């Protein structure tokens, strides 16, 4: 197994009045949860991983609008589905039960204290998926705790995030599947180095037939110049998002801001979702607002959309549901199925459109291929002959027509004159 190297934490920066600044960064050459706290908040109720049980609970946000979900038309989609009957496993830092969040149980991997919550990351993720102001408010979430906190103190028995931890969490989901019957597995975490054990664990998870959603990677603080573009030569390695069968989700900034400021160019990106302004809950129970463009939050939102799709189309396979998502994005859509190469390394098939995904008339095959109707053109095809024009004054047709009209007129005249002739 490839051991993760150490490096300094690269935090996302909040949105300023002028522009949204740098978002969450991956731990350089190592691992981090994708969506770290900003150095300071510019509003009264930001979503912060540092808010944990025992912290003072501050006032809930007064925000009524949810611009991230509005762009994806989630409210319209919720008129058709709310995630009822769908269960989502959340592999993360553990979650706290907040108001309106339906937690169906949980497990912790070996070496991680199941009773402590040293990071609010998992709670924020769960709230985005199935909180009362999340995407799928009636879905259930299952807590799979795989790490304690980013800056874990090993001398105190705390465990940091690692590829081994993610793999162990995946195997915990696989073992629990016969009893829990998960539909979706959310992994808002990433490592930058490939790991054969993690890859094997992901393959076992995909074989269960569940939808696996993971973060596609945030830009580090050393962001290239604004003109930087993603190409195959600078395609970022992000795992487990890059492994086969995983729905890799990137985050999209507001307005026309350059995505390279926030997210990594990843040619395995399948779709993208906006995150700025989305509403969740801190581990203190405070209702909070995201002030970050970060792929961990985006993958949580997309897991919620997949829960809506699963409720709406309960008989469809994971590839079919993913195909619906990709074929209805705000973009060109995926041409080669769930694991096709992205034409756009920032957004993949495009920005998710939840209502379209639930309502568009699409019939994807069980392996996720969407057939397109194409007009057939044949070399030997001939246009049908034009209808023959009737000449009312031609011969002999005209003779028959006018003879009929005259005879009919005489008959009608005789019928009208019949009373007069009887006098």
């Amino acid at each position: 197994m490839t051991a993760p190297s150490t490096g300094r934490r690269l935090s996302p920066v909040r949105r300023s009045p002028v522009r949204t600044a740098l978002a969450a960064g991956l731990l350089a050459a190592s691992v981090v949860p994708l969506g770290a706290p900003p150095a300071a908040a510019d509003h009264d109720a930001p979503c912060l991983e540092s808010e944990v049980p025992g912290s003072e609970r501050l006032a809930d946000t007064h925000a009524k609008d949810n611009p991230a979900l509005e762009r994806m038309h989630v409210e319209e989609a919720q008129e058709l589905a709310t995630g009822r009957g769908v269960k989502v496993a959340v592999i993360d830092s553990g979650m706290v039960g907040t108001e309106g969040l339906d937690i169906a149980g949980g497990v912790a991997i070996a070496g991680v204290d199941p009773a402590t919550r040293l990071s609010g990351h998992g709670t924020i993720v769960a709230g985005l998926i199935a909180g009362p102001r999340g995407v799928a408010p009636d879905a259930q979430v299952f807590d799979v705790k795989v790490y304690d906190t980013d800056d874990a103190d090993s001398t105190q028995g705390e465990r940091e995030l690692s590829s081994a931890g993610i793999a162990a969490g995946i195997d915990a989901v696989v073992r629990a599947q016969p009893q829990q019957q998960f539909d979706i597995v959310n992994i808002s975490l990433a490592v930058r180095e490939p790991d054969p054990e993690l890859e094997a664990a992901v393959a076992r998870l995909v074989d269960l037939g569940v939808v696996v959603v993971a973060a596609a990677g945030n830009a580090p603080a050393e962001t290239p110049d604004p003109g930087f573009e993603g190409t195959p030569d600078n395609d970022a390695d992000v795992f487990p998002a890059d492994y086969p069968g995983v729905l890799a989700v990137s985050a999209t900034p507001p307005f026309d801001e350059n995505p390279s400021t926030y997210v990594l160019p990843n040619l395995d990106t399948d779709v993208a979702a906006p995150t700025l302004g989305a509403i969740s809950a801190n581990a203190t129970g405070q209702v909070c607002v995201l002030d970050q463009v970060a792929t961990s939050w985006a993958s949580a939102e997309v897991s919620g959309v997949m829960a809506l799709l699963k409720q709406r189309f309960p008989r469809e396979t994971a590839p079919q549901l993913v195909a619906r998502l990709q074929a209805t994005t705000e973009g060109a859509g995926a041409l080669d199925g769930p694991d096709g190469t992205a034409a756009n390394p920032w957004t993949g098939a495009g920005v998710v459109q939840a209502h379209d995904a639930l309502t568009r008339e699409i019939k994807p095959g069980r392996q996720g291929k969407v057939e397109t109707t194409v007009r057939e053109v044949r070399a030997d095809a001939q246009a049908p002959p034009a209808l023959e024009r009737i000449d009312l004054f031609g011969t002999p047709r005209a003779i028959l027509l006018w003879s009929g009209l005259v005879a009919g007129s005489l008959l009608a005249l005789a019928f009208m004159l019949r009373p007069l002739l009887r006098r």
Side-chain angles (χ1 to χ4, degrees), residues 53 193 216 231 234 253 277 353:
E193 297 294 329
T231 69
N234 56 44
Q353 296 297 297

Side-chain angles (χ1 to χ4, degrees), residues 171-368:
D171 283 337
V173 170
V174 172
R175 290 192 298 272
Q177 178 66 0
Q179 178 183 5
Q180 295 294 333
Q181 294 296 297
F182 301 114
D183 301 294
I184 298 152
V185 179
N186 181 85
I187 310 174
S188 289
L189 309 168
V191 297
R192 293 301 307 276
E193 297 294 329
D195 181 347
E197 291 189 21
L198 178 58
E199 183 176 13
V202 169
R204 290 190 290 272
L205 186 60
V206 172
D207 285 344
L208 295 180
V210 299
V211 179
V212 183
V213 185
N218 298 335
E222 303 86 53
T223 305
D225 63 79
F228 174 75
E229 295 292 342
T231 69
D233 293 333
N234 56 44
D235 175 30
D237 291 329
V238 182
F239 306 100
D242 287 4
Y243 289 134
V246 178
L247 178 61
V249 182
S250 189
T252 184
F255 314 115
D256 296 323
E257 295 189 52
N258 194 314
S260 66
T261 304
Y262 307 97
V263 300
L264 293 171
N266 188 341
L267 290 175
D268 287 296
T269 296
D270 292 302
V271 294
T275 62
L276 201 67
I279 298 175
S280 184
N282 283 317
T284 59
Q286 178 196 27
V287 181
C288 60
V289 178
L290 294 181
D291 61 356
Q292 303 163 358
V293 177
T295 60
S296 59
W297 312 142
S299 58
E301 292 170 344
V302 171
S303 288
V305 175
M306 297 310 299
L308 302 183
L309 280 167
K310 184 62 179 179
Q311 180 189 352
R312 180 80 164 167
F313 304 101
R315 296 176 180 270
E316 293 196 346
T317 65
Q320 284 177 304
L321 297 175
V322 171
R324 286 186 181 278
L325 187 78
Q326 289 186 296
T328 55
T329 58
E330 180 188 292
L335 300 178
D336 302 318
D339 286 314
T341 300
N344 187 328
W346 310 115
T347 60
V351 177
V352 167
Q353 296 297 297
H355 185 257
D356 282 354
L358 266 64
T359 58
R360 190 83 60 83
E361 292 187 9
I362 299 171
K363 294 183 179 180
R366 293 189 66 78
Q367 299 305 314

Side-chain angles (χ1 to χ4, degrees), residues 13-151:
V13 182
R14 56 188 165 75
R15 184 182 182 187
S16 69
V18 178
R19 56 175 284 122
T20 306
L22 292 176
L26 292 172
L27 186 63
S30 181
V31 299
V32 297
L34 301 179
D42 61 356
H43 52 73
D44 57 358
C47 294
L48 299 171
E49 295 172 53
S50 58
E51 296 292 328
V52 295
S55 302
E56 179 185 3
R57 174 170 177 170
L58 302 177
D60 293 343
T61 179
H62 298 297
K64 301 299 181 183
D65 296 332
N66 193 325
L69 269 57
E70 287 173 3
R71 182 174 177 187
M72 295 186 288
H73 296 93
V74 169
E75 185 175 348
E76 295 90 335
Q78 289 173 343
E79 296 176 0
L80 303 171
T82 57
R84 186 174 301 279
V86 179
K87 188 177 290 187
V88 184
V90 180
I91 298 176
D92 216 287
S93 66
M95 64 183 71
V96 174
T98 58
E99 184 177 357
L101 183 65
D102 186 357
I103 301 178
V107 296
I109 65 171
V112 175
D113 188 347
T116 62
R117 295 292 182 269
L118 303 180
S119 169
H121 190 271
T123 302
I124 297 170
V125 165
L128 290 169
I129 297 171
R133 297 184 69 175
V135 177
D138 289 331
Q140 288 186 316
V141 290
F142 187 87
D143 187 5
V144 183
K145 184 181 178 184
V146 299
Y147 76 102
D148 287 305
T149 183
D150 303 330
D151 52 356

